[in-house]
């Protein structure tokens, strides 16, 4: 929520200043305009890209399609400078998100949509997984890759505990594909996912797309199961004593 608020504030500032920008006329792309295109999609970092995946899918895909079309049209009129590579890389990340979530015939969309409702409930929890500001610009590979690994592991653990391991694998695949498209550095070991001892059992996960079981109802189900087990043990012991 805090990250999205910052994006909105930035977009408002951009809107005020956009009228002062010079035309590109087929030369080098104006960095402010590139930032403006990203701001219109609420994107300022790699994390802000895959956070969009927890929004309502249909309006999200419509928004991405419109903004990417506008961005692509602009990029045809100019050439990005080396200094603007950061913004271009974030645009690449948005394209990856769009391809994975908005092409309803692909396998990932069908898999991810089963867990979307459950994962959406973790939107605020996932914010604690985000890396420090500008981590993707870290020049030291070891530090950059460590942050990347921490982000992936955090998303996986939080998702597995509430939505199950299959959901965790789906969301971390999305996170990895987006980040890989943004970073110019390749990091090894990111695909090695952590062990989660108390992952949500798959039998408690409702795999019906937009009507996923809420966290509250899952907790109630687990509580009912525990009560039944305790009652059964108590009843059996009572029978033995009698």
């Amino acid at each position: 929520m805090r990250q999205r608020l910052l994006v909105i504030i930035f977009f408002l500032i951009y809107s005020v200043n956009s009228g002062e920008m010079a035309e590109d006329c087929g030369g080098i792309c104006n960095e402010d305009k590139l930032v403006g295109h990203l701001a219109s999609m609420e994107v300022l970092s790699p994390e802000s890209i895959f956070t969009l995946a927890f929004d309502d899918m249909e309006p999200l895909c419509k928004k991405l399609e419109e903004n990417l079309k506008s961005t692509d049209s602009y990029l045809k009129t100019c050439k990005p400078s080396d200094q603007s590579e950061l913004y271009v890389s974030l645009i690449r990340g948005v394209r990856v998100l769009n391809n994975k979530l908005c092409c309803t015939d692909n396998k990932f969309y069908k898999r991810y949509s089963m867990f979307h409702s459950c994962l959406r409930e973790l939107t605020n929890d996932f914010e604690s997984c985000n890396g420090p500001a500008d981590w993707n610009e870290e020049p030291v590979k070891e530090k950059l890759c460590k942050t990347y690994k921490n982000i992936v592991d955090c998303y996986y653990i939080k998702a597995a505990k509430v939505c199950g391991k299959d959901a965790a694998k789906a969301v971390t695949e999305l996170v990895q594909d987006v980040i890989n498209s943004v970073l110019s550095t390749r990091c090894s070991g990111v695909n090695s996912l952590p062990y989660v001892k108390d992952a949500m059992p798959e039998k408690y996960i409702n795999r019906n797309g937009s009507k996923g079981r809420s966290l509250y109802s899952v907790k109630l189900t687990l509580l009912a199961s525990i009560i039944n087990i305790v009652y059964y043990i108590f009843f059996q012991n009572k029978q033995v004593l009698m």
Side-chain angles (χ1 to χ4, degrees):
M1 186 66 69
R2 182 174 63 254
Q3 185 180 60
R4 181 152 294 186
L5 180 60
L6 289 173
V7 173
I8 293 172
I9 293 173
F10 184 86
F11 179 66
L12 290 174
I13 295 173
Y14 163 78
S15 299
V16 171
N17 295 328
S18 60
E20 303 173 3
M21 297 177 188
E23 292 299 322
D24 302 288
C25 300
I28 299 299
C29 294
N30 187 305
E31 287 190 20
D32 288 336
K33 287 187 178 180
L34 291 175
V35 172
H37 283 286
L38 289 168
S40 66
M41 294 183 281
E42 301 183 25
V43 169
L44 288 178
S45 66
E47 295 94 321
S48 64
I49 298 174
F50 44 79
T51 295
L52 294 173
F54 309 126
D55 290 352
D56 289 333
M57 303 286 276
E58 188 173 342
L60 169 66
C61 290
K62 183 178 180 181
K63 176 181 178 180
L64 291 179
E65 181 183 3
E66 292 174 353
N67 282 282
L68 283 173
K69 186 179 295 184
S70 174
T71 302
D72 289 340
S73 295
Y74 174 67
L75 288 173
K76 290 178 181 178
T77 69
C78 59
K79 180 180 179 181
S81 65
D82 293 339
Q83 290 75 20
S84 62
E85 171 56 26
L86 170 64
Y87 311 124
V88 174
S89 69
L90 291 174
I91 293 170
R92 284 199 302 269
V94 175
R95 286 201 184 97
V96 168
L97 180 76
N98 182 66
N99 291 338
K100 292 186 78 71
L101 293 186
C102 301
C103 298
T104 56
D105 291 334
N106 71 39
K107 292 181 179 179
F108 180 82
Y109 169 82
K110 294 176 181 178
R111 183 158 56 96
Y112 180 83
S113 61
M114 293 191 296
F115 309 110
H116 178 260
S117 291
C118 185
L119 292 170
R120 185 175 183 176
E121 293 186 12
L122 295 173
T123 302
N124 292 334
D125 289 341
F126 283 143
E127 284 193 5
S128 64
C129 297
N130 295 343
D134 303 325
W135 70 268
N136 51 307
E137 299 179 66
E138 170 60 55
V140 180
K141 180 178 179 179
E142 290 74 15
K143 291 182 179 180
L144 181 141
C145 291
K146 182 179 180 181
T147 300
Y148 180 6
K149 174 65 172 169
N150 289 341
I151 292 172
V152 172
D153 287 355
C154 183
Y155 267 81
Y156 182 82
I157 291 170
K158 287 183 179 294
K161 287 184 175 182
V162 177
C163 304
K165 291 182 180 179
D166 286 345
K169 290 177 182 177
V171 73
T172 50
E173 178 183 328
L174 180 64
V175 169
Q176 288 175 309
D177 285 356
V178 168
I179 293 180
N180 286 340
S181 69
V182 172
L183 298 182
S184 58
T185 302
R186 299 276 75 90
C187 297
S188 60
V190 178
N191 292 328
S192 177
L193 298 172
Y195 172 70
V196 181
K197 182 179 180 181
D198 51 348
M200 180 66 70
E202 295 300 319
K203 65 181 179 180
Y204 294 116
I205 306 301
N206 189 354
R207 298 164 175 261
N208 65 347
S210 62
K211 295 183 179 179
R213 181 176 296 182
S214 69
L215 176 58
Y216 178 70
S217 64
V218 169
K219 287 181 177 179
L220 286 180
T221 303
L222 287 174
L223 180 60
S225 298
I226 293 171
I227 292 173
N228 287 335
I229 292 171
V230 172
Y231 176 80
Y232 176 78
I233 294 173
F234 175 79
F235 182 77
Q236 287 293 97
N237 289 338
K238 188 175 180 181
Q239 289 286 88
V240 171
L241 291 174
M242 292 177 63

